[in-house]
Amino acid sequence: MAQMTALVALPFEIQRLGHSAVETGLFMTPWPLALALAAPLAGRLADRYAAGMLGGLGLLVMAAGLVLLAFFPASGSPAAFVWRMALCGLGFGFFQAPNNRALMASAPRARSGAAGGMLSAARLLGQALGAAGVAILFRAYGAAGSNFALWLAALLALAGAAVSVVRLTTHPTEGRHD
């Protein structure tokens, strides 16, 4: 939900800061590139470290990037914007790969299709709620809604980080036979 909130709001925020449509497209590029670089590394690290730790740290990094983007001034340099976008993508990459791996690994092999469907449904629900949240913020705050959406995305990422970290302190019930 946090990622979609940001990705829907960012093109409007970039243009609100005075950039053209072409510049907006170029400024959006670092996020998916950084995610593509981070995800394989995070997937390998998930073999050695808990998904809750990697995911929590990743979402904290993403939240930090989103806050930095929300504070970004219209007079800021393109390079300063680009590294903030890359920070968000790196953070999300370190959340998504270990989180998806943990979810799929927790399901019995016979239910892996259902687990994949549940993962997809949860992702689509988050994307829909994120996009709807941005629309509500635009309705309430006009052009400034894009900046409010970045703050909302940062708060959502922080909430997700907290949930990920909680996974480190909970232990499955031993001897469960569900």
Side-chain angles (χ1 to χ4, degrees), residues 29 58 74 78 92 95 122 149 158-159 171-172 174:
T29 305
F92 192 74
F95 162 74
L158 284 174
H171 303 287
E174 292 185 53

Side-chain angles (χ1 to χ4, degrees), residues 55-131:
L57 290 173
L59 288 174
L60 283 175
V61 168
M62 181 179 158
L66 290 166
V67 167
L68 291 169
L69 286 169
F71 276 124
F72 196 77
S75 61
S77 74
F81 194 89
V82 164
W83 74 258
R84 286 164 171 82
M85 289 290 286
L87 189 65
C88 291
L90 283 171
F92 192 74
F94 271 87
F95 162 74
Q96 185 178 26
N99 188 63
N100 289 355
R101 181 181 179 277
L103 287 169
M104 293 304 295
S106 68
R109 184 176 288 285
R111 293 189 179 173
S112 61
M118 188 175 84
L119 180 62
S120 294
R123 181 181 305 117
L124 289 173
L125 178 63
Q127 290 172 348
L129 290 173

Side-chain angles (χ1 to χ4, degrees), residues 44-45 58 64 67 84 91 154 167 169:
R44 282 192 292 278
L45 289 173
V67 167
R84 286 164 171 82
R167 291 193 288 180
T169 61

